[in-house]
Amino acid sequence: DVVMTQTPPSLSVAIGQSVSISCKSSQSLVYSDGKTYLHWLLQSPGQSPKLLIYQVSNLGSGVPDRFSGTGSQKDFTLKISRVEAEDLGVYYCVQATHFPLTFGSGTKLEIK
Amino acid sequence: EVQLVESGGGLVQPGRSLKLSCAASGFTFSNYYMAWVRQAPKKGLEWVATISTSGSRTYYPDSVKGRFTISRDNAKSSLYLQMNSLKSEDTATYYCARHGMGFDYWGQGVMVTVSS
């Protein structure tokens, strides 16, 4: 199974700061079609998860462009520029290239 | 507006069965792979099952393979999860998710508690 290692486990940031979350996979996430099925989700407190970024760098519907994703092969990063209060919650990366699909363990973002 | 509404959760004894349903609306259900994802209390997300558009292909992790069955009825825009031989470690909130560009839409989740 592909292991997704997500760091840091938690972050505390002030409004307006920028943060980055890392997600590393134990295998390349490039599928046979050439695409990389690495996605980022946010689970706000008490809510269902919501898609932020799909296929490494594509913004989900309605997601502000303060969020951006980069990376390739086995190393991926989610960046949040100018953090806002509504960004608090747990961020997960998930790979959908290889079955079984696997999630990172999550990064909890708190607002100072 | 895309909506996914789960139902069928509850308290069940170990070894018993339960069937979850997910009613989809706001999109052409038959065009999308669908998935179930669960979250144990205070834990992270765990993928449970995925089904192809026609239902001909299904995928499971080892933790539920042979016990859980995902299915769909495209005429009713509905997704199902039949859970047999339930164990205490299956206790979780179960989410129905559209497996489109990423897991792009999620239901509100339904709680399943396996306990005697």
Side-chain angles (χ1 to χ4, degrees), chain A residues 39 43 48-49 51 100-101 103, chain B residues 39 47 95 101-102 106-108:
Chain A
H39 317 305
Q43 188 172 30
S48 304
L51 179 70
L101 311 187
F103 289 84
Chain B
Q39 186 170 37
W47 169 71
Y95 295 101
M101 289 295 187
W106 295 66
Q108 84 286 354

Side-chain angles (χ1 to χ4, degrees), chain A residues 8 17 31-32 40 44 51-52 56 69 72 75 84 92 100 102 108:
Chain A
Q17 280 190 314
Y31 189 55
S32 55
W40 291 94
S44 301
L51 179 70
L52 292 175
V56 181
S72 62
D75 195 349
E84 298 186 2
Y92 294 95
T102 46
K108 185 174 184 178

Side-chain angles (χ1 to χ4, degrees), chain B:
Chain B
E1 178 193 5
V2 172
Q3 284 198 313
L4 298 170
V5 180
E6 302 96 336
S7 60
L11 174 64
V12 61
Q13 293 179 327
R16 304 298 289 265
S17 299
L18 201 63
K19 186 172 184 177
L20 305 182
S21 300
C22 172
S25 61
F27 66 102
T28 304
F29 181 74
S30 58
N31 286 353
Y32 290 87
Y33 276 51
M34 296 296 295
W36 289 97
V37 176
R38 69 184 178 183
Q39 186 170 37
K42 305 293 187 185
K43 299 294 185 182
L45 300 170
E46 180 188 16
W47 169 71
V48 171
T50 288
I51 189 166
S52 64
T53 52
S54 66
S56 61
R57 287 170 290 177
T58 57
Y59 309 87
Y60 308 92
D62 287 346
S63 57
V64 307
K65 193 177 295 182
R67 299 188 301 122
F68 289 14
T69 302
I70 188 172
S71 62
R72 65 192 298 161
D73 184 335
N74 285 341
K76 294 183 177 179
S77 295
S78 293
L79 179 72
Y80 307 101
L81 185 67
Q82 176 68 47
M83 304 184 292
N84 298 332
S85 304
L86 282 161
K87 307 175 182 180
S88 58
E89 51 263 43
D90 296 319
T91 293
T93 296
Y94 285 73
Y95 295 101
C96 162
R98 193 172 83 169
H99 197 161
M101 289 295 187
F103 291 104
D104 54 359
Y105 287 94
W106 295 66
Q108 84 286 354
V110 63
M111 186 68 199
V112 173
T113 303
V114 184
S115 174
S116 54

Side-chain angles (χ1 to χ4, degrees), chain A:
Chain A
D1 297 3
V2 178
V3 176
M4 305 298 289
T5 301
Q6 199 176 327
T7 56
S10 65
L11 285 170
S12 182
V13 299
I15 300 295
Q17 280 190 314
S18 295
V19 297
S20 292
I21 299 170
S22 171
C23 182
K24 297 183 189 294
S25 59
S26 59
Q27 301 176 31
S28 171
L29 298 186
V30 181
Y31 189 55
S32 55
D33 63 3
K35 297 180 181 179
T36 301
Y37 294 94
L38 183 285
H39 317 305
W40 291 94
L41 307 168
L42 165 61
Q43 188 172 30
S44 301
Q47 302 295 312
S48 304
K50 172 190 171 184
L51 179 70
L52 292 175
I53 301 279
Y54 66 94
Q55 292 177 27
V56 181
S57 59
N58 298 284
L59 279 181
S61 175
V63 176
D65 60 7
R66 301 183 291 101
F67 292 90
S68 61
T70 58
S72 62
Q73 300 289 331
K74 298 167 58 176
D75 195 349
F76 305 92
T77 301
L78 174 71
K79 182 177 180 180
I80 312 170
S81 304
R82 306 179 307 280
V83 166
E84 298 186 2
E86 65 188 29
D87 299 338
L88 74 102
V90 181
Y91 291 79
Y92 294 95
C93 59
V94 55
Q95 68 82 18
T97 296
H98 305 284
F99 284 108
L101 311 187
T102 46
F103 289 84
S105 53
T107 296
K108 185 174 184 178
L109 178 66
E110 298 177 330
I111 306 297
K112 285 181 182 175

